[in-house]
PDB file of all heavy atoms in Angstrom:
ATOM      1  N   SER A 212      13.621   7.096  14.184  1.00 98.00           N
ATOM      2  CA  SER A 212      14.605   6.006  14.143  1.00 98.00           C
ATOM      3  C   SER A 212      14.247   4.976  15.217  1.00 98.00           C
ATOM      4  O   SER A 212      13.697   5.344  16.250  1.00 98.00           O
ATOM      5  CB  SER A 212      16.005   6.552  14.429  1.00 98.00           C
ATOM      6  OG  SER A 212      16.431   7.337  13.357  1.00 98.00           O
ATOM      7  N   PRO A 213      14.578   3.695  15.018  1.00 98.00           N
ATOM      8  CA  PRO A 213      15.164   3.169  13.791  1.00 98.00           C
ATOM      9  C   PRO A 213      14.151   3.118  12.643  1.00 98.00           C
ATOM     10  O   PRO A 213      12.996   2.788  12.846  1.00 98.00           O
ATOM     11  CB  PRO A 213      15.610   1.755  14.194  1.00 98.00           C
ATOM     12  CG  PRO A 213      14.774   1.377  15.362  1.00 98.00           C
ATOM     13  CD  PRO A 213      14.391   2.648  16.057  1.00 98.00           C
ATOM     14  N   ALA A 214      14.654   3.458  11.463  1.00 98.00           N
ATOM     15  CA  ALA A 214      13.841   3.480  10.248  1.00 98.00           C
ATOM     16  C   ALA A 214      14.415   2.463   9.269  1.00 98.00           C
ATOM     17  O   ALA A 214      15.628   2.422   9.055  1.00 98.00           O
ATOM     18  CB  ALA A 214      13.857   4.873   9.638  1.00 98.00           C
ATOM     19  N   TYR A 215      13.533   1.648   8.732  1.00 98.00           N
ATOM     20  CA  TYR A 215      13.966   0.535   7.866  1.00 98.00           C
ATOM     21  C   TYR A 215      13.516   0.789   6.430  1.00 98.00           C
ATOM     22  O   TYR A 215      12.311   0.913   6.172  1.00 98.00           O
ATOM     23  CB  TYR A 215      13.350  -0.775   8.368  1.00 98.00           C
ATOM     24  CG  TYR A 215      13.701  -1.088   9.804  1.00 98.00           C
ATOM     25  CD1 TYR A 215      12.938  -0.576  10.857  1.00 98.00           C
ATOM     26  CD2 TYR A 215      14.807  -1.877  10.115  1.00 98.00           C
ATOM     27  CE1 TYR A 215      13.261  -0.848  12.176  1.00 98.00           C
ATOM     28  CE2 TYR A 215      15.139  -2.162  11.430  1.00 98.00           C
ATOM     29  CZ  TYR A 215      14.359  -1.643  12.462  1.00 98.00           C
ATOM     30  OH  TYR A 215      14.688  -1.911  13.767  1.00 98.00           O
ATOM     31  N   PRO A 216      14.457   0.829   5.495  1.00 98.00           N
ATOM     32  CA  PRO A 216      14.067   1.060   4.092  1.00 98.00           C
ATOM     33  C   PRO A 216      13.638  -0.244   3.408  1.00 98.00           C
ATOM     34  O   PRO A 216      14.121  -1.327   3.762  1.00 98.00           O
ATOM     35  CB  PRO A 216      15.350   1.590   3.469  1.00 98.00           C
ATOM     36  CG  PRO A 216      16.453   0.916   4.237  1.00 98.00           C
ATOM     37  CD  PRO A 216      15.924   0.686   5.640  1.00 98.00           C
ATOM     38  N   ILE A 217      12.713  -0.125   2.474  1.00 98.00           N
ATOM     39  CA  ILE A 217      12.337  -1.262   1.610  1.00 98.00           C
ATOM     40  C   ILE A 217      12.153  -0.752   0.184  1.00 98.00           C
ATOM     41  O   ILE A 217      12.097   0.457  -0.041  1.00 98.00           O
ATOM     42  CB  ILE A 217      11.045  -1.984   2.082  1.00 98.00           C
ATOM     43  CG1 ILE A 217       9.876  -1.010   2.204  1.00 98.00           C
ATOM     44  CG2 ILE A 217      11.270  -2.730   3.372  1.00 98.00           C
ATOM     45  CD1 ILE A 217       8.526  -1.707   2.388  1.00 98.00           C
ATOM     46  N   PHE A 218      12.068  -1.705  -0.752  1.00 98.00           N
ATOM     47  CA  PHE A 218      11.847  -1.378  -2.179  1.00 98.00           C
ATOM     48  C   PHE A 218      12.852  -0.344  -2.683  1.00 98.00           C
ATOM     49  O   PHE A 218      12.485   0.575  -3.439  1.00 98.00           O
ATOM     50  CB  PHE A 218      10.427  -0.826  -2.408  1.00 98.00           C
ATOM     51  CG  PHE A 218       9.306  -1.736  -2.008  1.00 98.00           C
ATOM     52  CD1 PHE A 218       8.160  -1.238  -1.398  1.00 98.00           C
ATOM     53  CD2 PHE A 218       9.375  -3.094  -2.259  1.00 98.00           C
ATOM     54  CE1 PHE A 218       7.113  -2.079  -1.035  1.00 98.00           C
ATOM     55  CE2 PHE A 218       8.338  -3.937  -1.897  1.00 98.00           C
ATOM     56  CZ  PHE A 218       7.200  -3.419  -1.288  1.00 98.00           C
ATOM     57  N   ILE A 219      14.107  -0.478  -2.274  1.00 98.00           N
ATOM     58  CA  ILE A 219      15.095   0.553  -2.601  1.00 98.00           C
ATOM     59  C   ILE A 219      15.415   0.527  -4.103  1.00 98.00           C
ATOM     60  O   ILE A 219      15.830  -0.508  -4.637  1.00 98.00           O
ATOM     61  CB  ILE A 219      16.388   0.327  -1.783  1.00 98.00           C
ATOM     62  CG1 ILE A 219      16.034   0.313  -0.298  1.00 98.00           C
ATOM     63  CG2 ILE A 219      17.439   1.377  -2.110  1.00 98.00           C
ATOM     64  CD1 ILE A 219      16.829  -0.685   0.499  1.00 98.00           C
ATOM     65  N   GLY A 220      15.180   1.656  -4.745  1.00 97.00           N
ATOM     66  CA  GLY A 220      15.487   1.786  -6.177  1.00 97.00           C
ATOM     67  C   GLY A 220      14.783   0.753  -7.036  1.00 97.00           C
ATOM     68  O   GLY A 220      15.294   0.357  -8.090  1.00 97.00           O
ATOM     69  N   ASP A 221      13.593   0.321  -6.612  1.00 97.00           N
ATOM     70  CA  ASP A 221      12.889  -0.747  -7.333  1.00 97.00           C
ATOM     71  C   ASP A 221      12.500  -0.282  -8.743  1.00 97.00           C
ATOM     72  O   ASP A 221      11.822   0.726  -8.906  1.00 97.00           O
ATOM     73  CB  ASP A 221      11.630  -1.131  -6.543  1.00 97.00           C
ATOM     74  CG  ASP A 221      10.967  -2.390  -7.075  1.00 97.00           C
ATOM     75  OD1 ASP A 221      11.414  -2.908  -8.127  1.00 97.00           O
ATOM     76  OD2 ASP A 221      10.017  -2.852  -6.436  1.00 97.00           O
ATOM     77  N   LYS A 222      12.914  -1.057  -9.736  1.00 96.00           N
ATOM     78  CA  LYS A 222      12.607  -0.687 -11.135  1.00 96.00           C
ATOM     79  C   LYS A 222      11.104  -0.741 -11.431  1.00 96.00           C
ATOM     80  O   LYS A 222      10.645  -0.159 -12.413  1.00 96.00           O
ATOM     81  CB  LYS A 222      13.327  -1.642 -12.096  1.00 96.00           C
ATOM     82  CG  LYS A 222      14.802  -1.355 -12.244  1.00 96.00           C
ATOM     83  CD  LYS A 222      15.410  -2.252 -13.331  1.00 96.00           C
ATOM     84  CE  LYS A 222      16.872  -2.505 -13.037  1.00 96.00           C
ATOM     85  NZ  LYS A 222      17.338  -3.785 -13.586  1.00 96.00           N
ATOM     86  N   TYR A 223      10.339  -1.464 -10.620  1.00 96.00           N
ATOM     87  CA  TYR A 223       8.892  -1.493 -10.838  1.00 96.00           C
ATOM     88  C   TYR A 223       8.239  -0.156 -10.499  1.00 96.00           C
ATOM     89  O   TYR A 223       7.139   0.127 -10.956  1.00 96.00           O
ATOM     90  CB  TYR A 223       8.232  -2.585  -9.983  1.00 96.00           C
ATOM     91  CG  TYR A 223       8.452  -3.989 -10.488  1.00 96.00           C
ATOM     92  CD1 TYR A 223       8.928  -4.992  -9.642  1.00 96.00           C
ATOM     93  CD2 TYR A 223       8.165  -4.336 -11.812  1.00 96.00           C
ATOM     94  CE1 TYR A 223       9.115  -6.287 -10.082  1.00 96.00           C
ATOM     95  CE2 TYR A 223       8.357  -5.624 -12.266  1.00 96.00           C
ATOM     96  CZ  TYR A 223       8.834  -6.598 -11.400  1.00 96.00           C
ATOM     97  OH  TYR A 223       9.020  -7.878 -11.845  1.00 96.00           O
ATOM     98  N   THR A 224       8.866   0.604  -9.620  1.00 94.00           N
ATOM     99  CA  THR A 224       8.275   1.885  -9.189  1.00 94.00           C
ATOM    100  C   THR A 224       9.297   3.015  -9.336  1.00 94.00           C
ATOM    101  O   THR A 224       9.768   3.570  -8.339  1.00 94.00           O
ATOM    102  CB  THR A 224       7.810   1.796  -7.713  1.00 94.00           C
ATOM    103  OG1 THR A 224       8.899   1.306  -6.924  1.00 94.00           O
ATOM    104  CG2 THR A 224       6.614   0.894  -7.547  1.00 94.00           C
ATOM    105  N   PRO A 225       9.638   3.343 -10.587  1.00 94.00           N
ATOM    106  CA  PRO A 225      10.682   4.360 -10.817  1.00 94.00           C
ATOM    107  C   PRO A 225      10.262   5.775 -10.414  1.00 94.00           C
ATOM    108  O   PRO A 225      11.096   6.674 -10.398  1.00 94.00           O
ATOM    109  CB  PRO A 225      10.928   4.268 -12.331  1.00 94.00           C
ATOM    110  CG  PRO A 225       9.696   3.661 -12.897  1.00 94.00           C
ATOM    111  CD  PRO A 225       9.115   2.777 -11.835  1.00 94.00           C
ATOM    112  N   ASN A 226       8.973   5.941 -10.054  1.00 94.00           N
ATOM    113  CA  ASN A 226       8.496   7.263  -9.635  1.00 94.00           C
ATOM    114  C   ASN A 226       8.818   7.591  -8.180  1.00 94.00           C
ATOM    115  O   ASN A 226       8.564   8.696  -7.714  1.00 94.00           O
ATOM    116  CB  ASN A 226       6.986   7.389  -9.871  1.00 94.00           C
ATOM    117  CG  ASN A 226       6.222   6.218  -9.284  1.00 94.00           C
ATOM    118  OD1 ASN A 226       6.754   5.100  -9.203  1.00 94.00           O
ATOM    119  ND2 ASN A 226       5.008   6.448  -8.836  1.00 94.00           N
ATOM    120  N   ASN A 227       9.386   6.615  -7.440  1.00 96.00           N
ATOM    121  CA  ASN A 227       9.888   6.917  -6.100  1.00 96.00           C
ATOM    122  C   ASN A 227      11.150   6.092  -5.849  1.00 96.00           C
ATOM    123  O   ASN A 227      11.531   5.255  -6.665  1.00 96.00           O
ATOM    124  CB  ASN A 227       8.807   6.694  -5.028  1.00 96.00           C
ATOM    125  CG  ASN A 227       8.408   5.250  -4.902  1.00 96.00           C
ATOM    126  OD1 ASN A 227       9.237   4.383  -4.633  1.00 96.00           O
ATOM    127  ND2 ASN A 227       7.131   4.962  -5.126  1.00 96.00           N
ATOM    128  N   TYR A 228      11.815   6.350  -4.691  1.00 98.00           N
ATOM    129  CA  TYR A 228      13.066   5.637  -4.419  1.00 98.00           C
ATOM    130  C   TYR A 228      12.903   4.541  -3.380  1.00 98.00           C
ATOM    131  O   TYR A 228      13.861   3.882  -3.007  1.00 98.00           O
ATOM    132  CB  TYR A 228      14.156   6.635  -3.989  1.00 98.00           C
ATOM    133  CG  TYR A 228      15.539   6.003  -4.022  1.00 98.00           C
ATOM    134  CD1 TYR A 228      16.115   5.616  -5.218  1.00 98.00           C
ATOM    135  CD2 TYR A 228      16.235   5.786  -2.833  1.00 98.00           C
ATOM    136  CE1 TYR A 228      17.358   5.016  -5.259  1.00 98.00           C
ATOM    137  CE2 TYR A 228      17.492   5.184  -2.856  1.00 98.00           C
ATOM    138  CZ  TYR A 228      18.040   4.802  -4.073  1.00 98.00           C
ATOM    139  OH  TYR A 228      19.286   4.187  -4.091  1.00 98.00           O
ATOM    140  N   GLY A 229      11.673   4.330  -2.908  1.00 97.00           N
ATOM    141  CA  GLY A 229      11.446   3.254  -1.955  1.00 97.00           C
ATOM    142  C   GLY A 229      10.567   3.680  -0.809  1.00 97.00           C
ATOM    143  O   GLY A 229      10.010   4.783  -0.811  1.00 97.00           O
ATOM    144  N   GLY A 230      10.443   2.803   0.175  1.00 97.00           N
ATOM    145  CA  GLY A 230       9.596   3.081   1.323  1.00 97.00           C
ATOM    146  C   GLY A 230      10.408   3.042   2.605  1.00 97.00           C
ATOM    147  O   GLY A 230      11.527   2.541   2.633  1.00 97.00           O
ATOM    148  N   ILE A 231       9.816   3.606   3.658  1.00 97.00           N
ATOM    149  CA  ILE A 231      10.449   3.562   4.984  1.00 97.00           C
ATOM    150  C   ILE A 231       9.433   3.003   5.988  1.00 97.00           C
ATOM    151  O   ILE A 231       8.258   3.376   5.972  1.00 97.00           O
ATOM    152  CB  ILE A 231      10.857   4.985   5.447  1.00 97.00           C
ATOM    153  CG1 ILE A 231      11.932   5.574   4.527  1.00 97.00           C
ATOM    154  CG2 ILE A 231      11.333   4.965   6.893  1.00 97.00           C
ATOM    155  CD1 ILE A 231      13.343   5.094   4.777  1.00 97.00           C
ATOM    156  N   LEU A 232       9.948   2.112   6.853  1.00 98.00           N
ATOM    157  CA  LEU A 232       9.111   1.484   7.880  1.00 98.00           C
ATOM    158  C   LEU A 232       9.620   1.849   9.258  1.00 98.00           C
ATOM    159  O   LEU A 232      10.823   2.073   9.441  1.00 98.00           O
ATOM    160  CB  LEU A 232       9.199  -0.047   7.760  1.00 98.00           C
ATOM    161  CG  LEU A 232       9.016  -0.686   6.392  1.00 98.00           C
ATOM    162  CD1 LEU A 232       9.306  -2.184   6.488  1.00 98.00           C
ATOM    163  CD2 LEU A 232       7.605  -0.451   5.888  1.00 98.00           C
ATOM    164  N   ASN A 233       8.705   1.868  10.215  1.00 98.00           N
ATOM    165  CA  ASN A 233       9.076   1.849  11.626  1.00 98.00           C
ATOM    166  C   ASN A 233       8.563   0.557  12.213  1.00 98.00           C
ATOM    167  O   ASN A 233       7.509   0.058  11.806  1.00 98.00           O
ATOM    168  CB  ASN A 233       8.456   3.026  12.384  1.00 98.00           C
ATOM    169  CG  ASN A 233       9.165   4.345  12.137  1.00 98.00           C
ATOM    170  OD1 ASN A 233       8.544   5.392  12.093  1.00 98.00           O
ATOM    171  ND2 ASN A 233      10.479   4.318  11.966  1.00 98.00           N
ATOM    172  N   GLU A 234       9.298   0.021  13.203  1.00 97.00           N
ATOM    173  CA  GLU A 234       8.822  -1.197  13.840  1.00 97.00           C
ATOM    174  C   GLU A 234       7.753  -0.842  14.879  1.00 97.00           C
ATOM    175  O   GLU A 234       7.826   0.217  15.499  1.00 97.00           O
ATOM    176  CB  GLU A 234      10.001  -1.930  14.516  1.00 97.00           C
ATOM    177  CG  GLU A 234       9.667  -3.373  14.791  1.00 97.00           C
ATOM    178  CD  GLU A 234      10.869  -4.215  15.237  1.00 97.00           C
ATOM    179  OE1 GLU A 234      12.021  -3.743  15.098  1.00 97.00           O
ATOM    180  OE2 GLU A 234      10.628  -5.315  15.736  1.00 97.00           O
TER     181      GLU A 234
END
Side-chain angles (χ1 to χ4, degrees):
S212 290
Y215 303 86
I217 55 168
F218 301 141
I219 303 143
D221 190 354
K222 283 186 208 152
Y223 285 129
T224 52
N226 51 330
N227 66 58
Y228 194 67
I231 296 280
L232 311 173
N233 283 145
E234 198 170 347

